Amino acid sequence: MRPAPLCPEIHGDSGLDGPGSKGALLPPSRRAAKPGKAVIAMWEAISTKHQELGGKTLVRLVCCGALTNVALLLLLYPEVIGMVDLVLMGGAMGMGNTGPVAEFNIQTDPEAAKIVFESGVDITMMPLEVTHTVLVTPSVLSKLKGSSPGSPFY
């Protein structure tokens, strides 16, 4: 395994800070981390929600980082392909952010990206250029910080 790369010039020193490492953009989570393996937790949450939705409505899985856990999910639970549609932030239509044509989220684990793209799951890809047009403003941050249980941002 390769060491997990960070891109401090874009994501800050921890990978979750803003550019320039001004500290965390959001307060610490109010929820504790769940014990266990991420891929198993993903499978349990997706399959449960898919059943709750009557088994016909797809669960939207949004990925804004490397696709490692999604690739593992698809390999371990191939039946999930018919349960989800995937929206991912990754790739670039032109110039990359970590090389002339490389984008960080895909470059971090290209083997996982290959598995995901070739899996047959429905994918909506938001390339790097889209991230340059959608900004997290102070107004957006305040909405995230003020979210309550049950909201999509809690």
Side-chain angles (χ1 to χ4, degrees):
M1 279 183 69
R2 312 182 257 280
L6 294 177
C7 194
E9 64 276 11
I10 297 170
H11 301 117
D13 290 334
S14 75
L16 297 173
D17 304 325
S21 295
K22 297 175 184 168
L25 292 175
L26 296 173
S29 176
R30 292 174 232 157
R31 297 191 280 181
K34 290 185 174 187
K37 306 289 184 200
V39 173
I40 295 170
M42 291 167 68
W43 164 250
E44 290 171 351
I46 290 167
S47 60
T48 298
K49 190 63 172 179
H50 184 68
Q51 288 175 354
E52 287 174 7
L53 295 171
K56 295 189 175 152
T57 302
L58 297 177
V59 175
R60 177 152 297 146
L61 181 57
V62 178
C63 306
C64 54
L67 299 172
T68 308
N69 284 339
V70 178
L72 289 171
L73 175 71
L74 293 166
L75 291 172
L76 292 171
Y77 303 99
E79 59 271 36
V80 80
I81 292 170
M83 297 179 186
V84 298
D85 72 332
L86 183 64
V87 176
L88 68 90
M89 182 182 75
M93 300 296 290
M95 203 162 142
N97 61 355
T98 53
V101 294
E103 184 277 326
F104 182 79
N105 294 341
I106 302 299
Q107 184 183 29
T108 298
D109 193 345
E111 296 84 4
K114 181 180 189 315
I115 290 166
V116 171
F117 285 117
E118 294 179 354
S119 70
V121 71
D122 289 336
I123 298 174
T124 301
M125 182 177 154
M126 302 295 168
L128 179 63
E129 292 77 10
V130 172
T131 70
H132 294 163
T133 63
V134 180
L135 302 176
V136 178
T137 63
S139 171
V140 170
L141 280 176
S142 70
K143 289 176 184 173
L144 292 173
K145 288 177 181 177
S147 62
S148 58
S151 81
F153 302 112
Y154 185 71

